Coordinates of all heavy atoms in Angstrom, one line a residue:
M85 N -22.8 -38.2 119.9 CA -23.5 -37.7 121.2 C -23.0 -38.5 122.3 O -22.4 -39.6 122.2 CB -25.0 -38.0 121.0 CG -25.8 -36.8 120.6 SD -25.9 -35.6 122.1 CE -26.9 -36.7 123.1
T86 N -23.2 -38.0 123.4 CA -22.8 -38.6 124.7 C -23.7 -38.0 125.8 O -24.3 -37.0 125.6 CB -21.3 -38.4 125.0 OG1 -21.0 -39.1 126.2 CG2 -21.0 -36.9 125.2
H87 N -23.6 -38.6 127.0 CA -24.1 -38.0 128.2 C -22.9 -37.3 129.0 O -21.8 -37.7 128.8 CB -24.9 -39.0 129.0 CG -26.3 -39.1 128.5 ND1 -26.6 -39.6 127.2 CD2 -27.5 -38.9 129.1 CE1 -27.9 -39.5 127.0 NE2 -28.5 -39.2 128.1
V88 N -23.3 -36.3 129.8 CA -22.2 -35.6 130.5 C -22.7 -35.3 131.9 O -23.9 -35.1 132.2 CB -22.2 -34.2 129.8 CG1 -21.2 -33.2 130.6 CG2 -21.7 -34.3 128.3
I89 N -21.7 -35.5 132.9 CA -21.9 -35.2 134.3 C -21.6 -33.8 134.6 O -20.5 -33.3 134.3 CB -21.2 -36.1 135.1 CG1 -21.6 -37.5 134.9 CG2 -21.4 -35.8 136.6 CD1 -20.9 -38.7 135.7
A90 N -22.5 -33.0 135.2 CA -22.3 -31.6 135.4 C -22.2 -31.2 136.9 O -22.1 -32.1 137.8 CB -23.4 -30.8 134.7
Q91 N -22.2 -30.0 137.1 CA -22.0 -29.4 138.4 C -22.7 -30.1 139.7 O -22.0 -30.2 140.7 CB -22.6 -27.9 138.4 CG -22.6 -27.2 139.7 CD -21.2 -26.5 140.0 OE1 -20.6 -26.0 139.0 NE2 -20.9 -26.4 141.3
P92 N -23.9 -30.5 139.6 CA -24.6 -31.1 140.8 C -23.8 -32.3 141.3 O -24.0 -32.6 142.5 CB -25.9 -31.4 140.3 CG -26.2 -30.5 139.2 CD -24.9 -30.4 138.5
C93 N -23.0 -33.0 140.6 CA -22.3 -34.2 141.1 C -21.2 -33.8 142.1 O -20.8 -34.6 142.9 CB -21.7 -34.9 139.9 SG -20.7 -36.4 140.5
I94 N -20.7 -32.5 141.9 CA -19.5 -32.1 142.7 C -19.8 -32.3 144.2 O -20.8 -31.8 144.7 CB -19.1 -30.7 142.3 CG1 -18.6 -30.6 140.9 CG2 -18.0 -30.1 143.3 CD1 -18.3 -29.2 140.4
D95 N -18.9 -33.0 144.8 CA -19.0 -33.3 146.3 C -20.1 -34.2 146.7 O -20.4 -34.5 147.9 CB -19.1 -32.0 147.1 CG -17.8 -31.2 147.0 OD1 -16.7 -31.8 146.8 OD2 -17.9 -30.0 147.3
V96 N -20.9 -34.7 145.7 CA -21.9 -35.8 146.0 C -21.3 -37.2 145.7 O -21.1 -38.0 146.6 CB -23.2 -35.6 145.2 CG1 -24.2 -36.7 145.5 CG2 -23.8 -34.2 145.5
K97 N -21.0 -37.4 144.4 CA -20.2 -38.5 144.0 C -20.7 -39.9 144.7 O -19.9 -40.6 145.1 CB -18.7 -38.4 144.3 CG -18.1 -37.1 143.7 CD -16.6 -37.1 143.8 CE -16.1 -37.1 145.2 NZ -14.6 -37.2 145.3
D98 N -22.0 -40.1 144.7 CA -22.4 -41.4 145.4 C -22.3 -42.6 144.4 O -22.5 -43.7 145.0 CB -23.9 -41.2 145.8 CG -24.8 -41.1 144.7 OD1 -24.4 -40.8 143.5 OD2 -26.0 -41.4 145.0
K99 N -21.9 -42.4 143.2 CA -21.7 -43.5 142.2 C -22.9 -44.4 142.0 O -22.8 -45.5 141.5 CB -20.6 -44.4 142.8 CG -19.2 -43.7 143.0 CD -18.1 -44.7 143.3 CE -16.8 -44.0 143.4 NZ -15.7 -44.8 143.8
A100 N -24.1 -43.8 142.2 CA -25.3 -44.6 141.8 C -25.3 -44.7 140.3 O -25.7 -45.8 139.8 CB -26.5 -43.7 142.2
C101 N -24.8 -43.8 139.5 CA -24.7 -43.9 138.0 C -23.8 -45.1 137.6 O -24.0 -45.7 136.6 CB -24.3 -42.6 137.4 SG -22.7 -41.9 138.1
V102 N -22.6 -45.2 138.3 CA -21.7 -46.2 138.0 C -22.3 -47.6 137.9 O -22.1 -48.4 137.1 CB -20.5 -46.2 138.9 CG1 -19.6 -47.3 138.6 CG2 -19.8 -44.8 138.8
N103 N -23.2 -47.9 138.9 CA -23.7 -49.2 139.0 C -24.8 -49.5 137.9 O -25.0 -50.7 137.8 CB -24.5 -49.2 140.4 CG -23.4 -49.1 141.6 OD1 -22.3 -49.6 141.5 ND2 -23.9 -48.6 142.7
V104 N -25.3 -48.6 137.3 CA -26.3 -48.8 136.2 C -25.8 -48.7 134.8 O -26.4 -49.2 133.9 CB -27.5 -48.0 136.4 CG1 -28.2 -48.1 137.7 CG2 -27.2 -46.5 136.1
C105 N -24.6 -48.3 134.6 CA -24.0 -48.1 133.3 C -23.6 -49.4 132.7 O -22.8 -50.1 133.2 CB -22.8 -47.1 133.3 SG -22.1 -46.8 131.7
P106 N -24.3 -49.8 131.5 CA -24.0 -51.1 131.0 C -22.7 -51.2 130.3 O -22.3 -52.3 129.9 CB -25.1 -51.2 130.0 CG -25.5 -49.8 129.6 CD -25.3 -49.0 130.8
V107 N -22.0 -50.0 130.0 CA -20.8 -50.1 129.3 C -19.6 -49.6 130.1 O -18.5 -49.4 129.7 CB -20.7 -49.3 128.0 CG1 -21.7 -50.0 127.0 CG2 -21.1 -47.9 128.2
D108 N -19.9 -49.4 131.5 CA -18.8 -49.0 132.4 C -17.9 -47.9 131.9 O -16.7 -47.9 132.0 CB -17.9 -50.3 132.7 CG -17.1 -50.1 133.9 OD1 -17.4 -49.3 134.8 OD2 -15.9 -50.7 134.0
C109 N -18.6 -46.8 131.6 CA -17.9 -45.6 131.0 C -17.9 -44.4 132.0 O -17.5 -43.4 131.6 CB -18.5 -45.2 129.7 SG -20.1 -44.6 129.7
I110 N -18.3 -44.6 133.2 CA -18.3 -43.5 134.2 C -17.2 -43.8 135.2 O -17.2 -44.8 135.8 CB -19.7 -43.4 134.9 CG1 -20.8 -43.3 133.9 CG2 -19.7 -42.2 135.9 CD1 -22.3 -43.4 134.5
H111 N -16.3 -42.8 135.3 CA -15.1 -43.0 136.1 C -14.8 -41.7 137.0 O -15.3 -40.6 136.7 CB -13.9 -43.3 135.2 CG -14.1 -44.6 134.4 ND1 -13.9 -45.8 135.0 CD2 -14.6 -44.8 133.2 CE1 -14.2 -46.7 134.0 NE2 -14.6 -46.1 132.9
G112 N -14.0 -42.0 138.0 CA -13.5 -40.9 138.8 C -12.8 -41.5 140.0 O -13.2 -42.6 140.5
K113 N -11.8 -40.8 140.4 CA -11.0 -41.2 141.6 C -11.6 -40.5 142.9 O -12.2 -39.5 142.8 CB -9.5 -41.0 141.4 CG -9.0 -41.6 140.3 CD -7.4 -41.3 140.2 CE -6.8 -41.9 138.9 NZ -7.1 -41.0 137.8
D114 N -11.2 -41.0 144.0 CA -11.6 -40.5 145.3 C -11.3 -39.0 145.4 O -12.0 -38.2 146.0 CB -11.0 -41.3 146.5 CG -11.7 -42.6 146.7 OD1 -12.7 -42.9 146.1 OD2 -11.0 -43.4 147.5
E115 N -10.1 -38.6 144.8 CA -9.7 -37.3 145.0 C -10.3 -36.3 143.9 O -10.0 -35.1 144.0 CB -8.1 -37.2 144.9 CG -7.5 -37.7 143.6 CD -7.1 -39.2 143.7 OE1 -7.8 -39.9 144.4 OE2 -6.2 -39.5 143.0
D116 N -10.9 -36.9 143.0 CA -11.6 -36.0 141.9 C -12.8 -35.3 142.6 O -13.5 -35.9 143.4 CB -11.9 -36.8 140.7 CG -10.8 -37.4 140.0 OD1 -9.7 -36.7 140.0 OD2 -10.9 -38.5 139.4
P117 N -13.1 -34.1 142.1 CA -14.3 -33.4 142.5 C -15.6 -34.0 142.1 O -16.7 -33.8 142.8 CB -14.2 -32.0 141.9 CG -13.3 -32.1 140.8 CD -12.4 -33.3 141.1
Q118 N -15.7 -34.8 141.1 CA -16.9 -35.2 140.5 C -16.5 -36.6 139.7 O -15.4 -36.9 139.6 CB -17.6 -34.3 139.5 CG -16.7 -34.0 138.3 CD -17.5 -33.3 137.3 OE1 -17.5 -32.0 137.2 NE2 -18.2 -34.0 136.4
L119 N -17.6 -37.2 139.2 CA -17.3 -38.3 138.3 C -17.5 -37.8 136.8 O -18.0 -36.7 136.6 CB -18.3 -39.4 138.5 CG -17.8 -40.5 139.5 CD1 -17.6 -39.9 140.9 CD2 -18.7 -41.7 139.6
Y120 N -17.0 -38.6 135.9 CA -16.9 -38.2 134.5 C -17.4 -39.3 133.6 O -17.1 -40.5 133.8 CB -15.6 -37.8 134.1 CG -14.9 -36.7 135.0 CD1 -14.2 -37.2 136.2 CD2 -15.0 -35.4 134.8 CE1 -13.7 -36.3 137.0 CE2 -14.5 -34.5 135.7 CZ -13.8 -35.0 136.8 OH -13.2 -34.1 137.7
I121 N -18.0 -39.0 132.5 CA -18.4 -40.0 131.5 C -17.5 -39.9 130.3 O -17.3 -38.8 129.7 CB -19.9 -39.6 131.0 CG1 -20.9 -39.9 132.2 CG2 -20.2 -40.5 129.8 CD1 -22.3 -39.5 131.9
N122 N -17.0 -41.1 129.9 CA -16.1 -41.2 128.7 C -17.0 -41.1 127.4 O -17.8 -41.9 127.1 CB -15.4 -42.5 128.7 CG -14.3 -42.6 127.6 OD1 -14.5 -41.9 126.5 ND2 -13.3 -43.3 127.8
P123 N -16.8 -39.9 126.7 CA -17.8 -39.7 125.6 C -17.6 -40.7 124.4 O -18.4 -40.8 123.5 CB -17.4 -38.3 125.1 CG -16.0 -38.0 125.6 CD -15.9 -38.8 126.9
H124 N -16.4 -41.4 124.4 CA -16.2 -42.3 123.3 C -16.9 -43.7 123.6 O -17.1 -44.4 122.7 CB -14.7 -42.5 123.1 CG -13.9 -41.3 122.9 ND1 -14.1 -40.6 121.7 CD2 -13.1 -40.6 123.6 CE1 -13.4 -39.5 121.7 NE2 -12.7 -39.4 122.9
D125 N -17.2 -43.9 124.8 CA -17.8 -45.2 125.2 C -19.3 -45.1 125.5 O -20.0 -46.1 125.4 CB -17.1 -45.7 126.4 CG -15.6 -46.2 126.1 OD1 -15.3 -46.3 124.9 OD2 -14.9 -46.3 127.0
C126 N -19.8 -44.0 125.8 CA -21.2 -43.8 126.3 C -22.2 -44.1 125.1 O -21.9 -43.7 123.9 CB -21.5 -42.4 126.7 SG -23.2 -41.9 127.0
I127 N -23.1 -45.0 125.3 CA -24.1 -45.3 124.2 C -25.4 -44.6 124.4 O -26.5 -45.0 123.8 CB -24.3 -46.9 124.2 CG1 -24.8 -47.3 125.6 CG2 -23.0 -47.6 123.9 CD1 -25.2 -48.8 125.6
D128 N -25.5 -43.6 125.3 CA -26.7 -42.8 125.4 C -27.9 -43.6 125.8 O -29.0 -43.3 125.3 CB -27.0 -42.0 124.1 CG -25.9 -40.9 123.8 OD1 -25.6 -40.2 124.8 OD2 -25.5 -40.9 122.6
C129 N -27.7 -44.5 126.7 CA -28.8 -45.4 127.1 C -29.8 -44.7 128.0 O -30.9 -45.1 128.3 CB -28.4 -46.7 127.7 SG -27.6 -46.5 129.3
T130 N -29.3 -43.6 128.7 CA -30.0 -42.8 129.6 C -30.3 -43.4 131.1 O -30.9 -42.8 131.9 CB -31.4 -42.2 129.1 OG1 -32.4 -43.3 129.2 CG2 -31.2 -41.7 127.7
L131 N -29.7 -44.6 131.2 CA -30.0 -45.2 132.6 C -29.5 -44.4 133.7 O -30.0 -44.3 134.8 CB -29.5 -46.6 132.6 CG -30.2 -47.6 131.7 CD1 -29.4 -49.0 131.6 CD2 -31.6 -47.9 132.2
C132 N -28.3 -43.8 133.5 CA -27.7 -43.1 134.6 C -28.5 -41.8 134.9 O -28.4 -41.4 136.1 CB -26.2 -42.7 134.2 SG -26.2 -41.7 132.6
V133 N -29.2 -41.2 134.0 CA -29.9 -40.0 134.2 C -30.9 -40.3 135.3 O -31.1 -39.4 136.3 CB -30.6 -39.6 132.9 CG1 -31.5 -38.3 133.2 CG2 -29.6 -39.2 131.8
D134 N -31.6 -41.3 135.2 CA -32.7 -41.6 136.2 C -32.1 -42.1 137.5 O -32.7 -42.0 138.6 CB -33.6 -42.8 135.7 CG -34.5 -42.3 134.5 OD1 -34.7 -41.0 134.5 OD2 -34.8 -43.0 133.7
A135 N -30.9 -42.7 137.5 CA -30.3 -43.2 138.7 C -29.7 -42.0 139.6 O -29.5 -42.2 140.8 CB -29.1 -44.2 138.3
C136 N -29.3 -40.9 139.0 CA -28.7 -39.8 139.7 C -29.6 -39.1 140.6 O -30.6 -38.5 140.2 CB -28.0 -38.8 138.8 SG -27.2 -37.5 139.6
P137 N -29.3 -39.1 141.9 CA -30.2 -38.4 142.9 C -30.3 -36.9 142.9 O -31.2 -36.3 143.4 CB -29.7 -38.9 144.3 CG -28.3 -39.2 144.0 CD -28.1 -39.6 142.6
V138 N -29.3 -36.3 142.2 CA -29.2 -34.9 142.1 C -29.3 -34.3 140.7 O -29.0 -33.1 140.4 CB -27.9 -34.4 142.8 CG1 -28.0 -34.6 144.3 CG2 -26.7 -35.0 142.1
N139 N -29.8 -35.1 139.7 CA -30.0 -34.7 138.4 C -28.8 -34.0 137.8 O -28.9 -32.9 137.2 CB -31.2 -33.7 138.3 CG -32.5 -34.4 138.7 OD1 -32.7 -35.5 138.3 ND2 -33.3 -33.8 139.5
A140 N -27.6 -34.7 137.9 CA -26.4 -34.1 137.5 C -26.1 -34.5 136.0 O -25.1 -33.9 135.5 CB -25.2 -34.5 138.4
I141 N -26.8 -35.5 135.5 CA -26.4 -36.0 134.2 C -27.4 -35.6 133.1 O -28.6 -35.6 133.2 CB -26.3 -37.5 134.2 CG1 -25.5 -38.0 135.4 CG2 -25.8 -38.1 133.0 CD1 -25.4 -39.5 135.6
F142 N -26.9 -35.1 132.0 CA -27.6 -34.6 130.8 C -27.1 -35.2 129.5 O -25.9 -35.4 129.4 CB -27.4 -33.1 130.8 CG -27.9 -32.3 132.0 CD1 -27.0 -32.2 133.0 CD2 -29.1 -31.8 132.0 CE1 -27.4 -31.4 134.2 CE2 -29.6 -31.0 133.2 CZ -28.6 -30.8 134.2
A143 N -28.0 -35.4 128.6 CA -27.5 -35.5 127.2 C -26.8 -34.3 126.8 O -27.1 -33.2 127.2 CB -28.7 -35.7 126.3
E144 N -25.7 -34.4 126.1 CA -24.8 -33.3 125.9 C -25.6 -32.1 125.3 O -25.4 -31.0 125.6 CB -23.7 -33.6 124.9 CG -22.8 -32.6 124.5 CD -21.6 -33.0 123.7 OE1 -21.5 -34.1 123.3 OE2 -20.7 -32.2 123.5
E145 N -26.5 -32.4 124.4 CA -27.3 -31.3 123.8 C -28.3 -30.7 124.6 O -28.8 -29.6 124.4 CB -28.0 -31.9 122.5 CG -29.1 -33.0 122.9 CD -29.6 -33.7 121.6 OE1 -29.2 -33.5 120.5 OE2 -30.6 -34.5 121.9
D146 N -28.6 -31.3 125.8 CA -29.6 -30.8 126.7 C -28.9 -30.1 127.9 O -29.6 -29.7 128.9 CB -30.5 -31.9 127.2 CG -31.3 -32.4 126.1 OD1 -31.6 -31.7 125.2 OD2 -31.8 -33.6 126.2
L147 N -27.6 -30.0 127.9 CA -26.9 -29.3 129.1 C -27.5 -27.9 129.2 O -27.6 -27.2 128.2 CB -25.4 -29.2 128.8 CG -24.6 -30.5 129.1 CD1 -23.2 -30.4 128.4 CD2 -24.5 -30.6 130.6
P148 N -27.8 -27.4 130.4 CA -28.2 -26.0 130.6 C -27.0 -25.1 130.2 O -25.9 -25.5 130.2 CB -28.5 -25.9 132.1 CG -27.7 -27.1 132.7 CD -27.6 -28.1 131.7
S149 N -27.3 -23.9 129.8 CA -26.4 -22.9 129.3 C -25.2 -22.8 130.3 O -24.0 -22.7 129.8 CB -27.0 -21.6 129.0 OG -27.7 -21.1 130.1
E150 N -25.5 -22.7 131.6 CA -24.4 -22.5 132.5 C -23.5 -23.8 132.7 O -22.5 -23.7 133.3 CB -25.0 -22.1 133.8 CG -25.7 -23.1 134.6 CD -27.2 -23.2 134.3 OE1 -27.5 -22.7 133.2 OE2 -27.9 -23.8 135.0
G151 N -24.0 -24.9 132.1 CA -23.2 -26.2 132.2 C -22.6 -26.7 131.0 O -22.1 -27.8 131.0
K152 N -22.6 -25.9 129.9 CA -22.1 -26.4 128.6 C -20.7 -26.9 128.8 O -20.3 -27.8 128.0 CB -22.3 -25.3 127.5 CG -23.6 -24.9 127.2 CD -24.4 -25.9 126.4 CE -25.8 -25.4 126.0 NZ -26.7 -26.5 125.7
H153 N -19.9 -26.1 129.5 CA -18.4 -26.4 129.5 C -18.2 -27.8 130.2 O -17.1 -28.2 130.1 CB -17.7 -25.3 130.3 CG -18.2 -25.1 131.7 ND1 -19.5 -24.6 132.0 CD2 -17.6 -25.2 132.9 CE1 -19.6 -24.5 133.3 NE2 -18.4 -24.9 133.9
F154 N -19.2 -28.4 130.9 CA -18.9 -29.7 131.4 C -18.7 -30.8 130.4 O -18.1 -31.8 130.7 CB -20.0 -30.1 132.4 CG -19.8 -29.5 133.8 CD1 -20.3 -28.2 134.1 CD2 -19.1 -30.1 134.8 CE1 -20.1 -27.6 135.3 CE2 -18.8 -29.6 136.0 CZ -19.3 -28.3 136.3
A155 N -19.2 -30.6 129.1 CA -19.0 -31.5 128.1 C -17.4 -31.7 127.9 O -16.9 -32.8 127.7 CB -19.6 -31.1 126.8
Q156 N -16.7 -30.5 127.8 CA -15.3 -30.5 127.6 C -14.6 -31.1 128.9 O -13.6 -31.8 128.8 CB -14.8 -29.1 127.3 CG -13.3 -29.0 126.8 CD -13.2 -29.7 125.4 OE1 -14.1 -29.4 124.5 NE2 -12.3 -30.7 125.3
I157 N -15.1 -30.7 130.1 CA -14.5 -31.2 131.3 C -14.6 -32.7 131.4 O -13.5 -33.4 131.7 CB -15.2 -30.6 132.6 CG1 -14.9 -29.1 132.6 CG2 -14.8 -31.3 133.8 CD1 -15.7 -28.3 133.7
N158 N -15.7 -33.3 131.0 CA -15.8 -34.7 131.0 C -14.9 -35.4 130.0 O -14.1 -36.3 130.3 CB -17.2 -35.2 130.7 CG -18.2 -35.1 131.9 OD1 -18.8 -36.1 132.3 ND2 -18.3 -33.9 132.5
A159 N -14.8 -34.9 128.8 CA -14.0 -35.4 127.7 C -12.5 -35.3 128.0 O -11.7 -36.2 127.9 CB -14.3 -34.7 126.4
D160 N -12.1 -34.1 128.6 CA -10.7 -33.9 129.0 C -10.2 -34.8 130.0 O -9.0 -35.2 130.0 CB -10.5 -32.5 129.5 CG -10.5 -31.5 128.4 OD1 -10.5 -31.8 127.2 OD2 -10.5 -30.3 128.7
Y161 N -11.1 -35.3 130.9 CA -10.7 -36.2 132.0 C -10.0 -37.4 131.4 O -9.1 -38.0 131.9 CB -11.9 -36.6 132.8 CG -11.5 -37.5 134.0 CD1 -11.0 -36.9 135.2 CD2 -11.7 -38.9 133.9 CE1 -10.6 -37.7 136.2 CE2 -11.4 -39.7 135.0 CZ -10.9 -39.2 136.1 OH -10.5 -39.9 137.2
F162 N -10.5 -37.9 130.2 CA -10.1 -39.2 129.7 C -8.9 -39.0 128.7 O -8.3 -39.9 128.2 CB -11.2 -39.9 128.9 CG -12.3 -40.3 129.9 CD1 -13.4 -39.4 130.1 CD2 -12.2 -41.4 130.7 CE1 -14.4 -39.7 131.1 CE2 -13.1 -41.7 131.6 CZ -14.2 -40.9 131.7
K163 N -8.5 -37.7 128.6 CA -7.3 -37.4 127.8 C -6.0 -37.5 128.6 O -4.9 -37.5 128.1 CB -7.3 -36.1 127.1 CG -8.4 -36.0 126.0 CD -8.5 -34.6 125.4 CE -9.6 -34.5 124.3 NZ -10.0 -33.1 124.1
K164 N -6.2 -37.4 130.0 CA -5.0 -37.4 130.9 C -4.3 -38.7 131.0 O -3.2 -38.8 131.4 CB -5.5 -36.9 132.3 CG -6.0 -35.5 132.4 CD -6.5 -35.2 133.8 CE -7.4 -34.1 133.9 NZ -8.1 -34.0 135.2
G165 N -5.1 -39.7 130.6 CA -4.5 -41.1 130.7 C -4.6 -41.7 132.1 O -5.1 -41.1 133.0
Ligands
SF4_1689 S1 -26.1 -42.8 129.2 FE1 -25.8 -45.1 129.5 S2 -23.9 -45.5 128.6 FE2 -23.9 -43.3 128.8 S3 -23.0 -43.0 130.8 FE3 -25.2 -43.1 131.2 S4 -25.5 -45.3 131.7 FE4 -23.5 -45.1 130.7
SF4_1690 S1 -25.3 -40.6 140.4 FE1 -25.1 -38.4 140.0 S2 -24.2 -37.5 141.9 FE2 -23.9 -39.7 141.9 S3 -21.9 -40.0 141.2 FE3 -23.4 -40.2 139.4 S4 -23.5 -38.1 138.5 FE4 -22.6 -37.9 140.6

């Protein structure tokens, strides 16, 4: 299991989640459309969920149907190296 950042983060990117993550697994560059959670490092503590002002973060299993593909988008980000 992991948590996943979905559509609402796009163009918001305020990094509130980054500041609360205890394992520093949320990343993204200035030029990226959103931030991403590394599924291999996330410990499902849920702290980022409450920190996000736009409710962009979901447990993977709780992603809304229109946002299911964000699980792959988050995971793929960390395959680029
Ligand atoms: S659930 Fe916890 S470990 Fe996972 S990304 Fe959010 S703050 Fe980090
Ligand atoms: S707190 Fe929410 S909107 Fe802000 S960067 Fe994190 S996921 Fe994106």
Side-chain angles (χ1 to χ4, degrees):
M85 262 287 294
T86 182
H87 276 60
V88 172
I89 300 179
Q91 175 88 33
C93 179
I94 293 175
D95 294 333
V96 180
K97 302 193 299 178
D98 71 337
K99 298 187 178 177
C101 53
V102 174
N103 293 329
V104 300
C105 180
V107 294
D108 194 25
C109 68
I110 305 174
H111 299 278
K113 300 186 186 75
D114 286 347
E115 62 267 32
D116 294 327
Q118 65 167 94
L119 269 63
Y120 308 90
I121 293 173
N122 188 329
H124 302 293
D125 293 341
C126 175
I127 58 172
D128 292 315
C129 72
T130 77
L131 289 173
C132 58
V133 175
D134 291 333
C136 179
V138 293
N139 297 317
I141 308 177
F142 300 85
E144 182 174 7
E145 64 188 6
D146 294 335
L147 278 165
S149 54
E150 70 275 15
K152 295 286 185 205
H153 59 296
F154 277 89
Q156 195 66 52
I157 289 171
N158 279 237
D160 284 350
Y161 183 81
F162 297 95
K163 290 178 186 163
K164 293 178 199 163

